[in-house]
Amino acid sequence: MKKYILLAFIGIASLTFGQDVEFKGSNFKEDKDGFKTAKEELDLGTEQWLLGNAQVFVVKSPEMFYKKGLEHFEKAYAFNPNSAELNFKIGVCHAHSTNKDKCISFIKDAHERNPEVDPFIDYYMGFALQLDGKFEKAIEFYTTFETEYRKADDFGKFVKQRKNECKAGMKLVPNPIRAWIDHVPELSSAFDDYAPSVTMDGEEIILTSNRPNANQPNEVGVYDDEIYSSVFVDGKWQKPRVLKGKINSKANDVSNNLSYNGTKMLMSRINAQGNMDIYESFLKGDTWSEPVSFSRDINFKSNERFASYNFNDRSIYFAKDKENGKNGYDIMVSGVKVKRDRSYGLPVQVLDVSSQFNDGPIYLHPDGKTMYFASEGFDSMGGYDIFMSKKIKGGGWGQPINMGYPINTPYDDYFFAATANGKYAYIASNRAGGKGGFDIYKVTFWGEPKTPLFATEDYLLASVAKPIQDPELVGAVKVSSQANLTVFKGITIDAITKKAVEAVIDITDNRTGKVVESFTTNSATGKFLLSLESGGNYGIAVKADGYLFHSENFDIPDGSAYNLVNKTIELKNIKIGSKIALRNVFFDTGKSEIRSESFAELDRLVKLLKDVPALKIELSGHTDNTGSVQSNNKLSQDRAEAVVNYLASKGIAKNRLVAKGYGSSRPVDTNDTASGRQNNRRTEFEITGN
Amino acid sequence: MKKIALSLFFAVVGFTGFSQIEELTPEEQFYRDSIMHLNEENAAIQLSQTAYNEGIAAFQKQSYNTAVKMFTESINNDPKFTPAYFNKAVAQNSMKDYKGAIKTVESLLEIKPDYAKAFFQRALAYQGLSDFLNAEKDYQKAIELEPKNKKVYYNYGTMKFMQKDYYEAIAQFTKVVMLDPEDAYAFNDRGSCYRMLEKYSLAVKDYQEAARKNPKLTFVLNNMGTTQTKLKMYSDALTSFNQALLVDPNFYLAYNNRGVTHMEMGRVDDAINDFTKAIQINGDYAPAYSNRAGAYFKQEKYELAKKDADKAIQLNPKLADAYVNRGMALEMLRDMNGACKDWQKARELGSELAKAYHSGNCSN
């Protein structure tokens, strides 16, 4: 039982780690023809592979060697995918392609099958792990390689650089910069899309792509690079279109840098001698001109590419390699001599930004102080990284600063084209996760850390915090109870004669018992006029000489009509000896019967006698002197008695009444005139007792 | 007075002869008319006084419209009743009918030209209309007529404060404390003048004096705390806020401001707790939401930050800080258009920071 378990384990282990099935005839006895063909492909591929190796060894482009080798290897791989050697070689081809991520699985597979498959297996294992971001592990492989590598050549600089890259990665990746990197699918394809150059307003982008185009692909099926343009509409880049005009040829045309105003462009293409040169194309309307080369001062025998305008248009920066050089492309600058002739001086290497490896592309910010460039050297974390360098006052450029993760990765990250405000930039990268090859990525910088706003709130003014409760109003008042006044008008008259009597009046407010008014009525008219509070009950006391004291009670109602109350106070004469003529007692001529119109006055006399029971009077009759004394005496006596009888008939005791006829003996006026005689004809009474 | 008038009348009227009692002589007619007029006058005074008292009652219930109506009725019934004019002007000021108050005071001053308090009221009305020139004239006139009325100096000082003439405001508040050394309000307000002049130490000194005069004034303790925060006297600031909260545990401003102090001290969690407490007490207090949004932003909790900023803006659509903070959260949530819209809005509302963020982030 144990045996079976052990066998099963070995079987699983074999499947897991794989076996190295070498390209040996003994391994493919049953398919000798197939093996022969595959082996031929492997050998053909290896020829190209070695040429590619030789190129990269001197920091040069592997050109088409790896691509050609890969074509052969893939055929061999179809026959035998289990060869450590083949997997390794395929991995190396991918490692130097624009699809580096593809190398990882092949290299790891090769290492698993045979950790000693190639002297460089540890180097490439380090490389694969570096791409995978496993920097510490990568360093271990690089160190192993370094230890075991015995050749006395220059390759050590690559290993040293890779280890430095890993160290840089260990430093940079855990401290990402404040930016987002977004793949731009609209601008990217499964092919190489790179060399973005954006207008200052960020509304148009120029890029280069080897996506299928109208030209014929090369021997390995790759199309030539063409320059495209895309515009930004409604927050999205439109499908890139090949630039109009003669800027694109049937060979590779690579955009380098669009001028700041977007009217001219630096580009590179292969010249007739097979070297890459820098050209310039000009925009006329919407058409780009046939690219014009620069003078020999710039375009010499070597390769020149990745040119960039300077902010003041007084110089051009570009990358140049050296014939037989081992440091790849270096960054050069060439100053303008005669602008109109587009003549430039001899280029000078910008040492501050040139490394032992490929440097460039270059982008000079319009601020004139900042250079962004890509380099495989310095503290790149792998492949090309983008660096920033600040111009130093007095000349030269400052220490290149890695733009950091995630702008840079262990893959190739290059080209940097910023919008005017520096918020956005576009780069090209062949990092894993794109559509394939180089893709276009958008960088969105967060800028300096933003500080949220925190607001405190105060009641700085106390009166706002706690409004003063004293509103400063003038206080309430006691509502005055001023009663309505009623005009109290009156007259004091003799009760009998109706003549005015001067009297002293006291008016008492019965609610309070207080005398509210005290006055004397007018002596001539007996009138008085005053105002009293309405709604009250008053007592009035009237005193007049010779008259009976008069007292009564009366109301002044609220809202008296017209605010007027009239009062006639009749006073009763009680003075002994007073003689009062009863002018309203009438008799027919010569008769003693009292006429009815006399009763009113006589009734007042009755009232007086009743009101003053002690009063005794003498009723006297008087005539004028017309007629005989005797008849006048009798008539006057009769009339006096008639009055007495009337009074007695009204309940007045006769003993209080005396009737006397005086005839014409007591005239009060002349008898010579009618009116005098009228006055003399009268009935009087005199108070005789009280 | 009435009796004298009657006696005089009596003497004047005289009697020209007997007449029928029902009929009135011209003199009697005149007398009766005068009594009727007096009755009407008395009735009007009574109505005036009743309406006046009702006006005061309405004012005390803060029914200013009714108060003005009643004071107007009082004036209509008794146009010489100056307290009604004055109180009407106070009520008009209270209901911010400053033009009406000025008109009322003008009528009052025609009757009583040296009425100091009337000038004071008119000064308040002018101040309400931002007619500071005329307000100042009236304050000065009121001071001239009543030089020991500290309220005039106090209000004059507050007006100067609002005009940002802090030195003149300090002069006025100083006069108040000279007249009444126990006036905590004046000390507080003078402290605030110093604060606005960035003389924070002097400000704290005055706030402390105000707190000594009246330790129950939470706003004084709050002002002191925020000023101490400006002086980076964080521990003292926390003490001040804590004292304020001891006096009034529901004083949400103190929680909010203590939260800001915690933020200054880097205590984000404590700050969030305080902002939350402020919100619990006053769910409509937009600045606490905005501040908590800022704290969440610091914690990189952008969704929470956005949610709080949303609420702050809903509560107060003119709160620029909330737009700034929401813009920042939106940026981190990858809504750059939204962020730019918010910063633009905050910029329109006067935020300098939003201006910087907008110009630095929202153009190509």
Coordinates of all heavy atoms in Angstrom, one line a residue, chain A residues 556-587:
Chain A
I556 N -76.8 110.6 36.1 CA -76.3 111.1 34.8 C -76.0 109.8 34.0 O -75.0 109.1 34.3 CB -75.0 111.9 34.9 CG1 -75.2 113.2 35.7 CG2 -74.4 112.2 33.5 CD1 -75.9 114.3 35.0
P557 N -76.9 109.4 33.2 CA -76.7 108.0 32.6 C -75.5 108.1 31.6 O -75.1 109.1 31.1 CB -78.0 107.8 31.8 CG -78.6 109.1 31.6 CD -78.1 110.0 32.7
D558 N -75.0 106.9 31.4 CA -74.0 106.8 30.3 C -74.6 107.0 29.0 O -75.7 106.7 28.7 CB -73.4 105.3 30.3 CG -72.1 105.2 31.1 OD1 -71.4 106.2 31.2 OD2 -71.9 104.1 31.7
G559 N -73.8 107.7 28.2 CA -74.3 107.9 26.8 C -75.5 108.8 26.8 O -76.5 108.5 26.0
S560 N -75.7 109.8 27.6 CA -76.8 110.6 27.6 C -76.9 111.3 26.2 O -75.9 111.5 25.6 CB -76.6 111.8 28.6 OG -76.4 111.2 29.9
A561 N -78.1 111.4 25.8 CA -78.3 112.0 24.5 C -77.6 113.3 24.4 O -77.8 114.2 25.2 CB -79.8 112.1 24.1
Y562 N -76.7 113.4 23.4 CA -76.0 114.6 23.2 C -75.1 115.0 24.3 O -74.7 116.2 24.5 CB -76.9 115.8 22.8 CG -77.8 115.5 21.7 CD1 -79.2 115.3 21.9 CD2 -77.3 115.3 20.4 CE1 -80.0 115.0 20.9 CE2 -78.2 115.0 19.4 CZ -79.6 114.8 19.6 OH -80.4 114.5 18.6
N563 N -74.9 114.1 25.2 CA -74.1 114.4 26.4 C -74.6 115.6 27.2 O -73.8 116.4 27.6 CB -72.6 114.6 26.1 CG -72.0 113.3 25.6 OD1 -72.1 113.0 24.4 ND2 -71.4 112.5 26.5
L564 N -75.9 115.7 27.2 CA -76.4 116.9 27.9 C -77.6 116.4 28.8 O -78.5 115.7 28.4 CB -77.0 117.8 26.8 CG -77.6 119.1 27.3 CD1 -76.5 120.0 27.9 CD2 -78.3 119.8 26.1
V565 N -77.5 116.9 30.0 CA -78.7 116.7 30.9 C -79.1 118.1 31.4 O -78.3 118.9 31.8 CB -78.2 115.8 32.1 CG1 -79.3 115.8 33.2 CG2 -77.9 114.4 31.6
N566 N -80.4 118.3 31.2 CA -81.0 119.6 31.7 C -81.6 119.4 33.0 O -82.2 118.3 33.3 CB -82.1 120.0 30.7 CG -81.5 121.0 29.7 OD1 -80.6 121.7 30.0 ND2 -82.1 120.9 28.5
K567 N -81.5 120.4 33.9 CA -82.1 120.3 35.2 C -82.7 121.7 35.5 O -82.0 122.7 35.5 CB -81.1 119.9 36.2 CG -81.6 119.5 37.5 CD -82.2 118.1 37.5 CE -82.9 117.8 38.9 NZ -83.7 116.6 38.7
T568 N -84.0 121.7 35.8 CA -84.6 122.9 36.3 C -84.9 122.7 37.8 O -85.6 121.8 38.2 CB -85.9 123.2 35.5 OG1 -85.5 123.3 34.2 CG2 -86.5 124.5 36.0
I569 N -84.4 123.6 38.6 CA -84.6 123.5 40.0 C -85.5 124.6 40.5 O -85.2 125.8 40.3 CB -83.3 123.5 40.7 CG1 -82.4 122.3 40.3 CG2 -83.5 123.5 42.2 CD1 -80.9 122.5 40.7
E570 N -86.6 124.2 40.9 CA -87.6 125.2 41.3 C -87.5 125.3 42.8 O -87.6 124.3 43.6 CB -89.0 124.7 40.9 CG -89.2 124.6 39.4 CD -90.6 124.2 39.0 OE1 -91.3 123.7 39.9 OE2 -90.9 124.4 37.8
L571 N -87.3 126.6 43.2 CA -87.1 126.8 44.7 C -88.4 127.4 45.3 O -89.1 128.2 44.6 CB -86.0 127.8 44.8 CG -84.6 127.2 44.4 CD1 -83.5 128.3 44.5 CD2 -84.2 126.0 45.2
K572 N -88.6 127.0 46.4 CA -89.9 127.4 47.1 C -89.6 128.6 48.0 O -88.8 128.4 48.9 CB -90.5 126.2 47.8 CG -90.8 125.1 46.8 CD -91.2 123.8 47.5 CE -91.6 122.8 46.5 NZ -90.4 122.3 45.8
N573 N -90.3 129.6 47.7 CA -90.2 130.9 48.5 C -90.9 130.7 49.9 O -92.1 130.4 49.9 CB -90.8 132.0 47.7 CG -90.3 133.4 48.3 OD1 -89.9 133.5 49.4 ND2 -90.3 134.3 47.4
I574 N -90.2 130.9 50.9 CA -90.8 130.7 52.2 C -90.5 131.9 53.1 O -90.8 131.8 54.4 CB -90.2 129.4 52.9 CG1 -88.7 129.5 52.9 CG2 -90.7 128.2 52.2 CD1 -88.1 128.4 53.7
K575 N -90.3 133.1 52.6 CA -89.9 134.3 53.5 C -91.2 135.0 53.8 O -92.0 135.4 52.9 CB -89.0 135.2 52.7 CG -88.4 136.3 53.5 CD -87.4 137.1 52.6 CE -86.9 138.3 53.4 NZ -86.0 139.1 52.5
I576 N -91.4 135.2 55.1 CA -92.7 135.9 55.6 C -92.6 137.4 55.0 O -91.6 138.1 55.1 CB -92.8 135.9 57.1 CG1 -93.0 134.5 57.6 CG2 -93.9 136.8 57.6 CD1 -92.8 134.3 59.1
G577 N -93.8 137.8 54.5 CA -93.9 139.2 53.9 C -93.6 139.2 52.4 O -93.9 140.2 51.8
S578 N -93.1 138.0 51.9 CA -92.9 138.0 50.5 C -94.2 138.1 49.8 O -95.2 137.4 50.2 CB -92.2 136.7 50.1 OG -90.9 136.7 50.6
K579 N -94.2 138.9 48.8 CA -95.4 139.1 48.0 C -95.1 138.6 46.6 O -94.2 139.1 45.9 CB -95.9 140.5 47.9 CG -96.5 141.0 49.2 CD -96.9 142.5 49.1 CE -97.5 143.0 50.5 NZ -97.8 144.4 50.4
I580 N -96.0 137.7 46.2 CA -95.7 137.1 44.9 C -97.0 137.2 44.0 O -98.0 136.7 44.5 CB -95.3 135.6 45.0 CG1 -93.9 135.5 45.8 CG2 -95.1 134.9 43.6 CD1 -94.0 134.5 46.9
A581 N -96.8 137.8 42.9 CA -97.9 138.0 42.0 C -98.1 136.7 41.2 O -97.2 136.2 40.7 CB -97.7 139.2 41.1
L582 N -99.4 136.3 41.2 CA -99.7 135.1 40.4 C -100.2 135.6 39.0 O -101.4 135.9 38.8 CB -100.8 134.2 41.1 CG -100.3 133.7 42.4 CD1 -101.5 133.1 43.1 CD2 -99.2 132.7 42.2
R583 N -99.3 135.9 38.1 CA -99.6 136.5 36.8 C -100.4 135.6 35.9 O -101.0 136.1 34.9 CB -98.4 137.0 36.1 CG -97.6 138.1 36.9 CD -98.3 139.4 36.7 NE -97.6 140.4 37.4 CZ -98.2 141.6 37.7 NH1 -99.4 141.9 37.3 NH2 -97.5 142.5 38.3
N584 N -100.4 134.3 36.2 CA -101.1 133.4 35.3 C -102.4 132.9 35.8 O -102.9 131.9 35.4 CB -100.1 132.2 35.0 CG -98.9 132.7 34.3 OD1 -99.0 133.3 33.3 ND2 -97.7 132.4 34.9
V585 N -102.9 133.7 36.7 CA -104.3 133.4 37.2 C -105.2 134.4 36.5 O -105.0 135.6 36.5 CB -104.4 133.6 38.7 CG1 -105.9 133.4 39.2 CG2 -103.5 132.5 39.4
F586 N -106.2 133.8 35.8 CA -107.0 134.6 34.9 C -108.5 134.5 35.3 O -108.9 133.4 35.7 CB -106.8 134.2 33.5 CG -105.4 134.3 33.0 CD1 -104.6 133.1 32.9 CD2 -104.7 135.5 32.8 CE1 -103.3 133.1 32.6 CE2 -103.4 135.5 32.4 CZ -102.7 134.3 32.3
F587 N -109.2 135.6 35.2 CA -110.6 135.7 35.4 C -111.3 136.4 34.2 O -110.6 137.1 33.5 CB -111.0 136.5 36.7 CG -110.4 135.9 37.9 CD1 -109.1 136.4 38.3 CD2 -111.1 135.0 38.7 CE1 -108.6 135.8 39.5 CE2 -110.5 134.5 39.8 CZ -109.2 134.9 40.2

